[in-house]
Amino acid sequence: MSALRHVIARVPNAIPVLLDAKRGDIGSTAAAYARAAFEVWSADAVTVNPYLGADGVMPFMAYPGKAVFLLLPHLQSLGRGDPKLWA
């Protein structure tokens, strides 16, 4: 983890930091992952696995000004449109 901290610290402010974390878990754990990505690591964006549905994605989307990239192969698990995700 110290290597990641070292690299992120050297990224110029004009360049966004994307954590390719591919996180996806139940709501409470997803919230902890989101806090870590955006508050601890100060990432600007993160990749998220939506396999478990909106509960695993929404904690990441609760951070204004941050980007969330969903893994496309798993979007089918969300059915034909989870209104919590697409609203």
Coordinates of all heavy atoms in Angstrom, one line a residue:
M1 N 0.8 -1.2 0.0 CA 0.0 0.0 0.0 C 0.9 1.3 0.0 O 0.4 2.3 -0.5 CB -0.9 0.0 1.2 CG -2.0 -1.1 1.2 SD -3.0 -0.8 -0.2 CE -4.2 -2.0 0.1
S2 N 2.0 1.2 0.5 CA 2.9 2.4 0.5 C 3.3 2.7 -0.9 O 3.5 3.9 -1.2 CB 4.1 2.1 1.4 OG 4.9 1.1 0.9
A3 N 3.4 1.8 -1.8 CA 3.8 2.1 -3.2 C 2.6 2.8 -3.8 O 2.9 3.8 -4.6 CB 4.1 0.8 -3.9
L4 N 1.4 2.4 -3.6 CA 0.3 3.1 -4.2 C 0.2 4.5 -3.6 O 0.0 5.5 -4.4 CB -1.0 2.4 -3.8 CG -2.3 3.0 -4.3 CD1 -2.3 3.2 -5.9 CD2 -3.5 2.2 -3.9
R5 N 0.4 4.7 -2.3 CA 0.3 6.0 -1.7 C 1.4 6.9 -2.4 O 1.2 8.1 -2.7 CB 0.5 5.9 -0.2 CG 0.3 7.2 0.5 CD 0.3 7.0 2.0 NE -0.4 5.9 2.6 CZ -1.7 5.9 2.8 NH1 -2.5 6.9 2.5 NH2 -2.3 4.8 3.3
H6 N 2.6 6.3 -2.6 CA 3.7 7.0 -3.2 C 3.4 7.5 -4.6 O 3.7 8.6 -5.0 CB 5.0 6.1 -3.2 CG 6.2 6.7 -3.8 ND1 7.0 7.6 -3.1 CD2 6.7 6.5 -5.0 CE1 8.0 7.9 -3.9 NE2 7.9 7.3 -5.1
V7 N 2.8 6.6 -5.4 CA 2.5 7.0 -6.8 C 1.4 8.0 -6.8 O 1.5 9.0 -7.6 CB 2.0 5.7 -7.6 CG1 1.4 6.1 -8.9 CG2 3.2 4.8 -7.7
I8 N 0.3 7.9 -6.0 CA -0.8 8.8 -6.0 C -0.3 10.2 -5.6 O -0.7 11.2 -6.2 CB -1.9 8.4 -5.2 CG1 -2.6 7.1 -5.8 CG2 -2.9 9.5 -4.9 CD1 -3.7 6.5 -5.0
A9 N 0.6 10.3 -4.7 CA 1.2 11.5 -4.2 C 1.9 12.3 -5.3 O 2.0 13.5 -5.2 CB 2.0 11.3 -3.0
R10 N 2.4 11.6 -6.2 CA 3.2 12.2 -7.3 C 2.4 12.6 -8.5 O 3.0 13.1 -9.5 CB 4.4 11.3 -7.6 CG 5.5 11.5 -6.5 CD 6.5 10.5 -6.5 NE 7.5 10.7 -5.5 CZ 7.4 10.8 -4.2 NH1 6.2 10.7 -3.7 NH2 8.3 11.0 -3.3
V11 N 1.2 12.2 -8.6 CA 0.3 12.6 -9.7 C 0.0 14.1 -9.6 O -0.5 14.5 -8.6 CB -0.9 11.7 -9.7 CG1 -1.9 12.2 -10.9 CG2 -0.6 10.2 -9.9
P12 N 0.3 14.8 -10.7 CA 0.0 16.2 -10.7 C -1.6 16.4 -10.5 O -2.4 15.6 -10.9 CB 0.4 16.7 -12.1 CG 1.4 15.7 -12.5 CD 1.0 14.4 -11.9
N13 N -1.9 17.5 -9.9 CA -3.3 17.8 -9.6 C -4.2 17.9 -10.8 O -5.4 17.6 -10.7 CB -3.5 19.1 -8.8 CG -3.0 19.0 -7.4 OD1 -2.9 17.9 -6.8 ND2 -2.6 20.1 -6.8
A14 N -3.6 18.2 -11.9 CA -4.4 18.3 -13.2 C -4.7 17.0 -13.8 O -5.5 16.9 -14.7 CB -3.7 19.2 -14.2
I15 N -4.1 15.9 -13.3 CA -4.4 14.6 -13.8 C -5.2 13.8 -12.8 O -4.9 13.6 -11.7 CB -3.0 13.8 -14.1 CG1 -2.2 14.6 -15.1 CG2 -3.3 12.4 -14.5 CD1 -0.8 14.0 -15.3
P16 N -6.4 13.3 -13.3 CA -7.3 12.6 -12.4 C -6.7 11.2 -12.0 O -6.0 10.6 -12.9 CB -8.6 12.4 -13.1 CG -8.2 12.7 -14.6 CD -7.0 13.5 -14.6
V17 N -6.9 10.8 -10.8 CA -6.5 9.4 -10.4 C -7.6 8.5 -10.5 O -8.7 8.7 -9.9 CB -6.0 9.5 -8.9 CG1 -5.7 8.1 -8.4 CG2 -4.8 10.4 -8.8
L18 N -7.5 7.4 -11.2 CA -8.5 6.3 -11.4 C -7.9 5.1 -10.7 O -6.9 4.6 -11.1 CB -8.7 6.1 -12.9 CG -9.5 4.8 -13.2 CD1 -10.9 4.8 -12.6 CD2 -9.5 4.6 -14.7
L19 N -8.7 4.6 -9.7 CA -8.3 3.4 -9.1 C -9.1 2.2 -9.8 O -10.3 2.2 -9.8 CB -8.7 3.4 -7.6 CG -7.9 4.2 -6.6 CD1 -8.4 4.0 -5.2 CD2 -6.4 3.9 -6.7
D20 N -8.3 1.4 -10.4 CA -8.9 0.2 -11.1 C -9.1 -0.9 -10.1 O -8.4 -1.9 -10.1 CB -8.0 -0.2 -12.2 CG -8.7 -1.3 -13.1 OD1 -9.9 -1.5 -13.0 OD2 -8.0 -1.9 -13.9
A21 N -10.0 -0.7 -9.2 CA -10.2 -1.5 -8.0 C -11.2 -2.7 -8.3 O -11.2 -3.7 -7.6 CB -10.8 -0.7 -6.8
K22 N -12.1 -2.5 -9.2 CA -13.2 -3.5 -9.6 C -13.9 -3.9 -8.3 O -14.2 -5.1 -8.1 CB -12.5 -4.6 -10.3 CG -11.9 -4.3 -11.6 CD -11.3 -5.5 -12.3 CE -10.6 -5.1 -13.6 NZ -9.3 -4.5 -13.4
R23 N -14.2 -3.0 -7.4 CA -14.9 -3.3 -6.2 C -16.4 -3.7 -6.5 O -17.0 -3.1 -7.4 CB -14.8 -2.2 -5.2 CG -13.5 -1.9 -4.7 CD -13.0 -3.1 -3.9 NE -11.7 -2.8 -3.3 CZ -10.9 -3.8 -2.9 NH1 -11.3 -5.0 -3.0 NH2 -9.8 -3.5 -2.3
G24 N -16.9 -4.5 -5.7 CA -18.4 -4.9 -5.7 C -18.7 -5.8 -4.6 O -18.2 -6.9 -4.5
D25 N -19.5 -5.3 -3.7 CA -19.9 -6.1 -2.5 C -21.2 -5.6 -2.0 O -21.8 -4.7 -2.5 CB -18.8 -5.9 -1.4 CG -18.6 -7.1 -0.6 OD1 -19.6 -7.8 -0.2 OD2 -17.4 -7.5 -0.4
I26 N -21.6 -6.1 -0.8 CA -22.9 -5.7 -0.2 C -22.8 -4.3 0.2 O -21.7 -3.7 0.4 CB -23.3 -6.7 1.0 CG1 -22.2 -6.6 2.0 CG2 -23.5 -8.1 0.4 CD1 -22.6 -7.4 3.3
G27 N -23.9 -3.7 0.5 CA -24.0 -2.2 0.8 C -23.0 -1.7 1.8 O -22.3 -0.8 1.6
S28 N -22.9 -2.3 3.0 CA -22.1 -1.8 4.1 C -20.6 -1.9 3.7 O -19.8 -1.0 4.0 CB -22.3 -2.5 5.4 OG -22.1 -3.9 5.3
T29 N -20.2 -3.0 3.1 CA -18.8 -3.2 2.7 C -18.5 -2.3 1.5 O -17.4 -1.7 1.4 CB -18.6 -4.7 2.3 OG1 -18.9 -5.5 3.4 CG2 -17.1 -4.9 2.0
A30 N -19.5 -2.1 0.6 CA -19.3 -1.2 -0.6 C -19.1 0.2 -0.1 O -18.2 1.0 -0.6 CB -20.4 -1.3 -1.5
A31 N -19.8 0.6 1.0 CA -19.6 1.9 1.6 C -18.2 2.1 2.1 O -17.6 3.2 1.9 CB -20.7 2.2 2.7
A32 N -17.7 1.1 2.7 CA -16.3 1.2 3.3 C -15.3 1.2 2.1 O -14.3 2.0 2.2 CB -16.0 -0.1 4.1
Y33 N -15.5 0.5 1.1 CA -14.6 0.6 -0.1 C -14.7 1.9 -0.8 O -13.7 2.5 -1.2 CB -15.0 -0.5 -1.2 CG -14.6 -1.9 -0.8 CD1 -15.5 -3.0 -1.1 CD2 -13.4 -2.2 -0.2 CE1 -15.1 -4.3 -0.9 CE2 -13.1 -3.5 0.1 CZ -13.9 -4.5 -0.2 OH -13.5 -5.8 0.0
A34 N -15.9 2.5 -0.8 CA -16.0 3.9 -1.4 C -15.3 4.9 -0.6 O -14.6 5.8 -1.1 CB -17.5 4.2 -1.6
R35 N -15.5 4.8 0.7 CA -14.8 5.7 1.6 C -13.3 5.6 1.4 O -12.6 6.6 1.4 CB -15.1 5.4 3.1 CG -16.0 6.4 3.7 CD -16.2 6.2 5.2 NE -16.2 4.8 5.7 CZ -17.3 4.1 5.7 NH1 -18.4 4.5 5.2 NH2 -17.3 2.9 6.2
A36 N -12.8 4.4 1.3 CA -11.3 4.2 1.1 C -10.9 4.8 -0.2 O -9.9 5.5 -0.2 CB -11.0 2.7 1.2
A37 N -11.6 4.5 -1.3 CA -11.2 5.0 -2.6 C -11.2 6.5 -2.6 O -10.2 7.1 -3.1 CB -12.1 4.5 -3.6
F38 N -12.2 7.1 -2.1 CA -12.4 8.6 -2.3 C -11.9 9.4 -1.2 O -11.5 10.6 -1.4 CB -13.9 8.9 -2.6 CG -14.4 8.3 -3.9 CD1 -15.6 7.6 -3.9 CD2 -13.6 8.4 -5.0 CE1 -16.1 7.1 -5.1 CE2 -14.1 7.9 -6.2 CZ -15.3 7.2 -6.2
E39 N -11.9 8.9 0.0 CA -11.4 9.7 1.2 C -10.0 9.3 1.6 O -9.2 10.2 1.9 CB -12.4 9.5 2.4 CG -13.8 10.0 2.1 CD -14.8 9.8 3.2 OE1 -14.3 9.7 4.4 OE2 -16.0 9.7 3.0
V40 N -9.7 8.1 1.6 CA -8.3 7.7 2.1 C -7.3 7.9 0.9 O -6.3 8.5 1.1 CB -8.3 6.2 2.6 CG1 -6.9 5.7 2.9 CG2 -9.2 6.1 3.8
W41 N -7.7 7.3 -0.3 CA -6.8 7.4 -1.4 C -6.9 8.6 -2.2 O -6.1 8.9 -3.1 CB -6.9 6.1 -2.3 CG -6.6 4.9 -1.5 CD1 -7.4 3.9 -1.1 CD2 -5.3 4.5 -1.1 NE1 -6.7 2.9 -0.5 CE2 -5.4 3.2 -0.4 CE3 -4.0 5.0 -1.2 CZ2 -4.3 2.6 0.1 CZ3 -2.9 4.3 -0.7 CH2 -3.1 3.1 0.0
S42 N -8.0 9.4 -2.0 CA -8.3 10.6 -2.7 C -8.4 10.4 -4.2 O -7.9 11.2 -5.0 CB -7.2 11.7 -2.5 OG -7.2 12.0 -1.1
A43 N -8.9 9.3 -4.6 CA -9.1 9.0 -6.1 C -10.2 9.9 -6.6 O -11.1 10.3 -5.9 CB -9.5 7.5 -6.2
D44 N -10.1 10.1 -7.9 CA -11.1 10.9 -8.6 C -12.1 10.0 -9.3 O -13.2 10.5 -9.6 CB -10.4 11.8 -9.7 CG -9.4 12.8 -9.1 OD1 -9.9 13.6 -8.4 OD2 -8.2 12.6 -9.4
A45 N -11.7 8.8 -9.5 CA -12.6 7.8 -10.1 C -12.2 6.4 -9.7 O -11.1 6.1 -9.2 CB -12.5 7.9 -11.7
V46 N -13.2 5.5 -9.8 CA -12.9 4.1 -9.4 C -13.8 3.2 -10.4 O -14.8 3.5 -10.8 CB -13.3 3.9 -7.9 CG1 -14.8 4.0 -7.7 CG2 -12.8 2.5 -7.4
T47 N -13.2 2.0 -10.6 CA -14.0 0.9 -11.3 C -14.8 0.1 -10.3 O -14.2 -0.2 -9.2 CB -13.1 0.0 -12.1 OG1 -12.1 -0.6 -11.3 CG2 -12.4 0.8 -13.2
V48 N -16.0 -0.2 -10.6 CA -16.9 -0.9 -9.7 C -17.5 -2.1 -10.4 O -18.0 -2.0 -11.6 CB -18.0 0.0 -9.1 CG1 -18.9 -0.7 -8.3 CG2 -17.3 1.1 -8.3
N49 N -17.6 -3.2 -9.8 CA -18.3 -4.4 -10.3 C -19.8 -4.4 -9.8 O -20.0 -4.6 -8.6 CB -17.6 -5.6 -9.8 CG -18.1 -6.9 -10.4 OD1 -19.3 -7.0 -10.8 ND2 -17.3 -7.9 -10.4
P50 N -20.7 -4.2 -10.7 CA -22.1 -4.1 -10.3 C -22.8 -5.5 -10.2 O -24.1 -5.6 -10.1 CB -22.8 -3.3 -11.4 CG -22.0 -3.7 -12.6 CD -20.6 -3.9 -12.1
Y51 N -22.1 -6.6 -10.1 CA -22.6 -7.9 -10.0 C -23.7 -8.1 -9.0 O -24.7 -8.7 -9.2 CB -21.5 -9.0 -9.8 CG -22.0 -10.4 -9.9 CD1 -22.4 -10.9 -11.1 CD2 -22.2 -11.1 -8.8 CE1 -22.9 -12.2 -11.2 CE2 -22.7 -12.4 -8.8 CZ -23.0 -13.0 -10.0 OH -23.5 -14.2 -10.1
L52 N -23.5 -7.5 -7.8 CA -24.5 -7.6 -6.7 C -25.6 -6.6 -6.8 O -26.5 -6.5 -5.9 CB -23.8 -7.6 -5.4 CG -22.8 -8.7 -5.1 CD1 -22.1 -8.5 -3.8 CD2 -23.6 -10.1 -5.1
G53 N -25.7 -5.8 -7.8 CA -26.7 -4.8 -8.0 C -26.4 -3.5 -7.4 O -25.3 -3.1 -7.1
A54 N -27.5 -2.7 -7.4 CA -27.4 -1.2 -7.0 C -26.8 -1.0 -5.6 O -26.1 -0.1 -5.4 CB -28.7 -0.6 -7.1
D55 N -27.1 -1.9 -4.7 CA -26.6 -1.8 -3.3 C -25.0 -1.7 -3.2 O -24.5 -1.1 -2.4 CB -27.1 -2.9 -2.4 CG -28.6 -2.8 -2.1 OD1 -29.1 -1.7 -2.3 OD2 -29.1 -3.7 -1.6
G56 N -24.4 -2.4 -4.2 CA -22.9 -2.4 -4.2 C -22.4 -1.2 -5.0 O -21.1 -1.0 -5.0
V57 N -23.2 -0.5 -5.7 CA -22.7 0.6 -6.6 C -23.1 2.0 -5.9 O -22.3 2.9 -6.0 CB -23.3 0.5 -8.0 CG1 -23.0 1.7 -8.8 CG2 -22.9 -0.8 -8.6
M58 N -24.2 2.1 -5.4 CA -24.7 3.4 -4.9 C -23.8 4.1 -3.9 O -23.6 5.3 -3.9 CB -26.1 3.2 -4.3 CG -27.2 2.8 -5.3 SD -27.2 3.9 -6.8 CE -27.8 5.4 -6.1
P59 N -23.1 3.3 -3.0 CA -22.2 4.0 -2.1 C -21.1 4.8 -2.8 O -20.6 5.9 -2.4 CB -21.6 2.9 -1.2 CG -22.6 1.9 -1.2 CD -23.2 1.9 -2.6
F60 N -20.6 4.3 -4.0 CA -19.6 5.0 -4.8 C -20.2 6.2 -5.5 O -19.5 7.2 -5.6 CB -19.0 4.0 -5.8 CG -18.2 2.9 -5.2 CD1 -18.8 1.7 -4.9 CD2 -16.9 3.1 -5.0 CE1 -18.1 0.7 -4.4 CE2 -16.1 2.0 -4.4 CZ -16.7 0.8 -4.1
M61 N -21.5 6.1 -5.9 CA -22.1 7.2 -6.6 C -22.5 8.3 -5.7 O -23.0 9.4 -6.1 CB -23.3 6.6 -7.4 CG -22.8 5.6 -8.4 SD -24.1 4.9 -9.4 CE -24.4 6.3 -10.5
A62 N -22.4 8.1 -4.4 CA -22.8 9.1 -3.4 C -21.8 10.2 -3.2 O -22.0 11.2 -2.5 CB -23.1 8.5 -2.0
Y63 N -20.7 10.1 -3.9 CA -19.6 11.1 -3.8 C -19.7 12.1 -5.0 O -19.3 11.8 -6.1 CB -18.2 10.5 -3.8 CG -18.0 9.8 -2.4 CD1 -18.4 8.6 -2.1 CD2 -17.2 10.5 -1.5 CE1 -18.2 8.0 -0.9 CE2 -17.0 9.9 -0.2 CZ -17.4 8.7 0.0 OH -17.2 8.1 1.3
P64 N -20.2 13.3 -4.8 CA -20.3 14.3 -5.9 C -18.9 14.6 -6.4 O -18.0 14.7 -5.7 CB -20.9 15.5 -5.2 CG -21.5 15.1 -3.9 CD -20.7 13.8 -3.5
G65 N -18.9 14.8 -7.7 CA -17.6 15.1 -8.4 C -16.7 14.0 -8.6 O -15.6 14.2 -9.2
K66 N -17.1 12.8 -8.2 CA -16.3 11.6 -8.4 C -16.9 10.8 -9.6 O -18.1 10.8 -9.7 CB -16.1 10.7 -7.2 CG -15.6 11.5 -6.0 CD -14.1 11.9 -6.2 CE -13.6 12.6 -5.0 NZ -12.2 12.9 -5.1
A67 N -16.1 10.0 -10.3 CA -16.6 9.2 -11.4 C -16.6 7.7 -11.0 O -15.7 7.3 -10.2 CB -15.7 9.4 -12.6
V68 N -17.5 7.0 -11.5 CA -17.7 5.6 -11.2 C -17.8 4.9 -12.6 O -18.7 5.2 -13.3 CB -18.9 5.3 -10.3 CG1 -19.0 3.8 -10.1 CG2 -18.8 6.0 -9.0
F69 N -16.9 4.0 -12.9 CA -16.9 3.2 -14.1 C -17.4 1.8 -13.8 O -16.8 1.1 -12.9 CB -15.5 3.1 -14.7 CG -15.1 4.5 -15.2 CD1 -14.3 5.3 -14.4 CD2 -15.4 4.9 -16.5 CE1 -13.9 6.5 -14.9 CE2 -14.9 6.1 -17.0 CZ -14.2 6.9 -16.2
L70 N -18.5 1.4 -14.4 CA -19.0 0.0 -14.1 C -18.5 -1.0 -15.1 O -18.4 -0.7 -16.3 CB -20.6 0.0 -14.2 CG -21.3 1.0 -13.3 CD1 -22.8 0.9 -13.5 CD2 -21.0 0.7 -11.8
L71 N -18.2 -2.2 -14.6 CA -17.7 -3.2 -15.5 C -18.9 -3.7 -16.4 O -19.9 -4.2 -15.8 CB -17.1 -4.4 -14.7 CG -16.0 -4.0 -13.8 CD1 -15.5 -5.2 -13.0 CD2 -14.8 -3.5 -14.5
L72 N -18.8 -3.6 -17.7 CA -19.9 -3.9 -18.6 C -20.3 -5.4 -18.6 O -21.5 -5.7 -18.7 CB -19.5 -3.5 -20.0 CG -19.5 -2.0 -20.1 CD1 -19.1 -1.6 -21.6 CD2 -20.8 -1.3 -19.8
P73 N -19.4 -6.4 -18.5 CA -19.9 -7.7 -18.5 C -20.9 -8.1 -17.4 O -21.7 -9.0 -17.6 CB -18.7 -8.6 -18.4 CG -17.5 -7.7 -18.8 CD -18.0 -6.3 -18.4
H74 N -20.9 -7.3 -16.4 CA -21.8 -7.6 -15.2 C -23.0 -6.8 -15.2 O -23.9 -6.9 -14.3 CB -21.0 -7.4 -13.9 CG -19.9 -8.4 -13.8 ND1 -20.1 -9.7 -13.7 CD2 -18.5 -8.2 -13.9 CE1 -18.9 -10.3 -13.7 NE2 -18.0 -9.4 -13.8
L75 N -23.2 -5.9 -16.2 CA -24.4 -5.0 -16.2 C -25.7 -5.9 -16.3 O -26.8 -5.5 -15.9 CB -24.4 -4.0 -17.3 CG -23.4 -2.8 -17.0 CD1 -23.4 -1.9 -18.2 CD2 -23.8 -2.1 -15.7
Q76 N -25.6 -7.1 -16.9 CA -26.8 -7.9 -17.1 C -27.3 -8.3 -15.7 O -28.5 -8.6 -15.6 CB -26.4 -9.2 -17.9 CG -26.1 -8.8 -19.3 CD -25.7 -10.1 -20.1 OE1 -25.3 -11.1 -19.5 NE2 -25.8 -10.0 -21.4
S77 N -26.5 -8.4 -14.7 CA -27.0 -8.8 -13.4 C -27.9 -7.7 -12.8 O -28.7 -8.0 -11.9 CB -25.8 -9.0 -12.4 OG -25.2 -7.8 -12.2
L78 N -27.9 -6.5 -13.4 CA -28.8 -5.5 -12.9 C -30.2 -5.6 -13.6 O -31.0 -4.7 -13.3 CB -28.2 -4.1 -13.2 CG -26.9 -3.8 -12.5 CD1 -26.3 -2.5 -13.0 CD2 -27.0 -3.8 -11.0
G79 N -30.4 -6.5 -14.4 CA -31.7 -6.7 -15.1 C -31.9 -5.6 -16.1 O -30.9 -5.1 -16.7
R80 N -33.1 -5.3 -16.4 CA -33.3 -4.4 -17.5 C -33.4 -2.9 -17.1 O -33.9 -2.1 -17.7 CB -34.7 -4.7 -18.2 CG -34.5 -6.0 -18.9 CD -35.6 -6.1 -20.0 NE -35.1 -7.0 -20.9 CZ -35.1 -6.8 -22.2 NH1 -35.4 -5.6 -22.7 NH2 -34.7 -7.7 -23.0
G81 N -32.8 -2.7 -16.0 CA -32.7 -1.3 -15.5 C -33.1 -1.1 -14.1 O -34.3 -1.1 -13.8
D82 N -32.1 -1.1 -13.2 CA -32.4 -0.8 -11.8 C -32.6 0.7 -11.7 O -31.6 1.4 -11.9 CB -31.2 -1.3 -11.0 CG -31.4 -1.3 -9.5 OD1 -32.2 -0.4 -9.1 OD2 -30.9 -2.1 -8.8
P83 N -33.8 1.1 -11.3 CA -34.0 2.5 -11.2 C -33.1 3.3 -10.3 O -32.9 4.5 -10.4 CB -35.5 2.6 -10.8 CG -35.9 1.3 -10.4 CD -34.9 0.3 -11.0
K84 N -32.6 2.6 -9.3 CA -31.7 3.3 -8.3 C -30.4 3.6 -9.0 O -29.7 4.6 -8.6 CB -31.4 2.4 -7.1 CG -32.6 2.2 -6.2 CD -32.3 1.4 -5.0 CE -32.3 -0.1 -5.3 NZ -32.0 -1.0 -4.2
L85 N -30.0 2.9 -10.0 CA -28.7 3.2 -10.7 C -28.9 4.2 -11.8 O -28.0 5.0 -12.0 CB -28.1 1.9 -11.3 CG -27.3 1.0 -10.4 CD1 -26.8 -0.2 -11.2 CD2 -26.2 1.7 -9.8
W86 N -30.0 4.2 -12.5 CA -30.1 5.0 -13.7 C -30.8 6.3 -13.5 O -31.0 7.0 -14.4 CB -30.7 4.2 -14.8 CG -30.0 2.8 -14.9 CD1 -30.6 1.6 -14.8 CD2 -28.6 2.6 -15.2 NE1 -29.7 0.6 -15.0 CE2 -28.5 1.2 -15.2 CE3 -27.5 3.4 -15.4 CZ2 -27.2 0.6 -15.4 CZ3 -26.3 2.8 -15.7 CH2 -26.2 1.4 -15.7
A87 N -31.3 6.5 -12.2 CA -32.0 7.7 -12.0 C -31.1 8.9 -11.9 O -30.0 8.9 -11.6 CB -32.8 7.6 -10.7

